[in-house]
Short mmCIF file of all heavy atoms in Angstrom, two decimals:
data_model
loop_
_atom_site.label_atom_id
_atom_site.label_comp_id
_atom_site.label_asym_id
_atom_site.label_seq_id
_atom_site.Cartn_x
_atom_site.Cartn_y
_atom_site.Cartn_z
N ASN A 1226 1.69 -6.86 -1.37
CA ASN A 1226 0.43 -7.02 -2.11
C ASN A 1226 0.57 -8.26 -2.99
O ASN A 1226 1.27 -8.23 -3.97
CB ASN A 1226 0.17 -5.75 -2.98
CG ASN A 1226 -0.96 -5.96 -3.97
OD1 ASN A 1226 -1.78 -6.86 -3.81
ND2 ASN A 1226 -1.05 -5.09 -4.95
N LYS A 1228 -1.62 -9.62 -4.78
CA LYS A 1228 -2.42 -9.61 -6.02
C LYS A 1228 -3.22 -10.94 -6.14
O LYS A 1228 -3.59 -11.51 -5.13
CB LYS A 1228 -1.61 -9.26 -7.23
CG LYS A 1228 -0.71 -8.04 -7.03
CD LYS A 1228 -0.11 -7.55 -8.30
CE LYS A 1228 0.84 -6.43 -8.01
NZ LYS A 1228 1.26 -5.69 -9.19
N ILE A 1306 -6.37 -2.11 0.77
CA ILE A 1306 -5.77 -1.27 -0.27
C ILE A 1306 -6.90 -0.84 -1.20
O ILE A 1306 -7.74 -1.70 -1.61
CB ILE A 1306 -4.72 -2.09 -1.04
CG1 ILE A 1306 -3.56 -2.55 -0.17
CG2 ILE A 1306 -4.20 -1.26 -2.26
CD1 ILE A 1306 -2.66 -3.61 -0.81
N HIS A 1309 -5.80 0.78 -6.30
CA HIS A 1309 -4.58 0.30 -7.00
C HIS A 1309 -4.80 0.52 -8.49
O HIS A 1309 -5.90 0.36 -9.04
CB HIS A 1309 -4.41 -1.20 -6.70
CG HIS A 1309 -3.07 -1.72 -7.13
ND1 HIS A 1309 -2.76 -1.97 -8.48
CD2 HIS A 1309 -1.91 -1.95 -6.47
CE1 HIS A 1309 -1.55 -2.37 -8.55
NE2 HIS A 1309 -0.94 -2.38 -7.36
N SER A 1310 -3.69 0.81 -9.21
CA SER A 1310 -3.82 1.18 -10.62
C SER A 1310 -4.39 0.01 -11.43
O SER A 1310 -5.03 0.23 -12.44
CB SER A 1310 -2.47 1.63 -11.17
OG SER A 1310 -1.52 0.58 -11.09
N GLU A 1311 -4.14 -1.22 -10.97
CA GLU A 1311 -4.69 -2.40 -11.72
C GLU A 1311 -6.24 -2.41 -11.58
O GLU A 1311 -6.92 -2.77 -12.52
CB GLU A 1311 -4.09 -3.67 -11.21
CG GLU A 1311 -2.63 -3.78 -11.70
CD GLU A 1311 -1.69 -4.66 -10.86
OE1 GLU A 1311 -2.20 -5.39 -9.99
OE2 GLU A 1311 -0.49 -4.54 -11.07
N CYS A 1340 -4.07 4.25 -3.12
CA CYS A 1340 -3.01 4.28 -4.15
C CYS A 1340 -3.23 5.37 -5.22
O CYS A 1340 -4.37 5.57 -5.66
CB CYS A 1340 -2.94 2.96 -4.91
SG CYS A 1340 -2.60 1.52 -3.81
N GLU A 1380 2.45 5.02 -6.53
CA GLU A 1380 2.92 3.95 -7.41
C GLU A 1380 2.81 4.39 -8.85
O GLU A 1380 1.75 4.31 -9.46
CB GLU A 1380 2.02 2.69 -7.21
CG GLU A 1380 2.03 2.15 -5.80
CD GLU A 1380 1.66 0.67 -5.78
OE1 GLU A 1380 0.62 0.31 -6.34
OE2 GLU A 1380 2.45 -0.12 -5.21
N ALA A 1384 6.06 1.86 -13.41
CA ALA A 1384 7.10 1.20 -12.61
C ALA A 1384 6.56 -0.12 -11.97
O ALA A 1384 7.39 -0.89 -11.43
CB ALA A 1384 7.61 2.10 -11.47
N ILE A 1385 5.26 -0.37 -12.12
CA ILE A 1385 4.70 -1.57 -11.46
C ILE A 1385 5.02 -2.84 -12.28
O ILE A 1385 4.59 -2.92 -13.45
CB ILE A 1385 3.19 -1.40 -11.25
CG1 ILE A 1385 2.94 -0.31 -10.20
CG2 ILE A 1385 2.55 -2.74 -10.74
CD1 ILE A 1385 1.51 -0.01 -9.94
N GLY A 1386 5.76 -3.74 -11.68
CA GLY A 1386 6.02 -5.01 -12.31
C GLY A 1386 6.94 -4.93 -13.48
O GLY A 1386 7.07 -5.92 -14.29
N THR A 1387 7.60 -3.80 -13.74
CA THR A 1387 8.38 -3.62 -14.96
C THR A 1387 9.90 -3.69 -14.68
O THR A 1387 10.68 -3.78 -15.62
CB THR A 1387 8.12 -2.25 -15.57
OG1 THR A 1387 8.51 -1.25 -14.61
CG2 THR A 1387 6.64 -2.10 -15.97
N GLY A 1388 10.30 -3.63 -13.42
CA GLY A 1388 11.73 -3.53 -13.14
C GLY A 1388 12.30 -2.13 -13.28
O GLY A 1388 13.45 -1.87 -12.98
N ARG A 1389 11.44 -1.19 -13.74
CA ARG A 1389 11.88 0.20 -13.87
C ARG A 1389 11.43 0.99 -12.65
O ARG A 1389 10.34 0.73 -12.09
CB ARG A 1389 11.29 0.82 -15.08
CG ARG A 1389 11.77 0.15 -16.40
CD ARG A 1389 10.85 0.56 -17.56
NE ARG A 1389 10.85 1.99 -17.75
CZ ARG A 1389 9.86 2.69 -18.30
NH1 ARG A 1389 8.73 2.04 -18.69
NH2 ARG A 1389 9.91 3.98 -18.48
N TYR A 1422 6.21 4.26 -1.13
CA TYR A 1422 6.56 4.17 -2.56
C TYR A 1422 6.30 2.75 -3.00
O TYR A 1422 6.63 1.79 -2.30
CB TYR A 1422 8.05 4.53 -2.83
CG TYR A 1422 8.41 4.12 -4.25
CD1 TYR A 1422 7.95 4.90 -5.32
CD2 TYR A 1422 9.05 2.92 -4.51
CE1 TYR A 1422 8.15 4.51 -6.59
CE2 TYR A 1422 9.29 2.53 -5.78
CZ TYR A 1422 8.83 3.32 -6.86
OH TYR A 1422 8.99 2.86 -8.11
N GLY A 1423 5.76 2.60 -4.23
CA GLY A 1423 5.56 1.27 -4.79
C GLY A 1423 5.89 1.27 -6.26
O GLY A 1423 5.61 2.21 -7.02
N GLY A 1424 6.47 0.15 -6.69
CA GLY A 1424 6.86 -0.02 -8.13
C GLY A 1424 8.24 -0.59 -8.22
O GLY A 1424 9.21 0.13 -8.03
N SER A 1425 8.26 -1.96 -8.45
CA SER A 1425 9.55 -2.66 -8.64
C SER A 1425 10.54 -2.49 -7.51
O SER A 1425 11.76 -2.41 -7.69
CB SER A 1425 10.20 -2.22 -9.93
OG SER A 1425 9.38 -2.58 -11.06
N VAL A 1426 10.03 -2.46 -6.26
CA VAL A 1426 10.93 -2.49 -5.09
C VAL A 1426 11.39 -3.89 -4.88
O VAL A 1426 10.61 -4.85 -4.94
CB VAL A 1426 10.19 -1.95 -3.80
CG1 VAL A 1426 11.12 -2.03 -2.61
CG2 VAL A 1426 9.64 -0.55 -4.03
N LYS A 1427 12.69 -4.04 -4.71
CA LYS A 1427 13.33 -5.32 -4.50
C LYS A 1427 14.37 -5.23 -3.36
O LYS A 1427 14.75 -4.07 -2.99
CB LYS A 1427 14.10 -5.73 -5.78
CG LYS A 1427 13.20 -5.74 -6.99
CD LYS A 1427 13.79 -6.45 -8.14
CE LYS A 1427 12.78 -6.65 -9.28
NZ LYS A 1427 11.44 -6.18 -9.11
N LEU A 1444 5.10 -0.26 -0.80
CA LEU A 1444 4.08 -1.23 -1.15
C LEU A 1444 4.77 -2.11 -2.24
O LEU A 1444 5.23 -1.63 -3.26
CB LEU A 1444 2.84 -0.53 -1.73
CG LEU A 1444 1.67 -1.40 -2.12
CD1 LEU A 1444 1.21 -2.31 -0.99
CD2 LEU A 1444 0.46 -0.50 -2.56
N VAL A 1445 4.78 -3.41 -1.95
CA VAL A 1445 5.60 -4.31 -2.72
C VAL A 1445 4.73 -5.40 -3.38
O VAL A 1445 3.96 -6.09 -2.70
CB VAL A 1445 6.64 -4.99 -1.82
CG1 VAL A 1445 7.56 -5.91 -2.63
CG2 VAL A 1445 7.43 -3.99 -1.02
N GLY A 1446 4.83 -5.56 -4.69
CA GLY A 1446 4.08 -6.58 -5.37
C GLY A 1446 4.88 -7.86 -5.53
O GLY A 1446 4.99 -8.67 -4.59
N GLY A 1447 5.51 -8.03 -6.67
CA GLY A 1447 6.21 -9.30 -7.00
C GLY A 1447 7.18 -9.81 -5.95
O GLY A 1447 7.21 -10.98 -5.65
N ALA A 1448 7.93 -8.84 -5.38
CA ALA A 1448 8.94 -9.26 -4.39
C ALA A 1448 8.38 -9.60 -3.01
O ALA A 1448 9.15 -9.93 -2.09
CB ALA A 1448 10.03 -8.16 -4.28
N SER A 1449 7.05 -9.53 -2.88
CA SER A 1449 6.47 -9.97 -1.60
C SER A 1449 5.98 -11.40 -1.59
O SER A 1449 5.49 -11.91 -0.58
CB SER A 1449 5.28 -9.04 -1.22
OG SER A 1449 4.16 -9.25 -2.04
C1 PEP B 1718 2.12 -3.20 -6.80
O1 PEP B 1718 1.42 -3.75 -7.64
O2 PEP B 1718 1.57 -2.60 -5.79
C2 PEP B 1718 3.54 -3.20 -6.99
C3 PEP B 1718 4.22 -2.26 -6.42
O3 PEP B 1718 4.06 -4.18 -7.80
P1 PEP B 1718 5.62 -4.56 -8.08
O4 PEP B 1718 6.36 -4.41 -6.75
O5 PEP B 1718 5.61 -5.94 -8.58
O6 PEP B 1718 6.09 -3.52 -9.08
#
Side-chain angles (χ1 to χ4, degrees):
N1226 170 16
K1228 310 194 185 192
I1306 298 168
H1309 191 283
S1310 61
E1311 287 155 12
C1340 300
E1380 300 204 307
I1385 294 179
T1387 60
R1389 296 165 60 206
Y1422 167 75
S1425 296
V1426 178
K1427 304 196 172 357
L1444 182 55
V1445 183
S1449 70

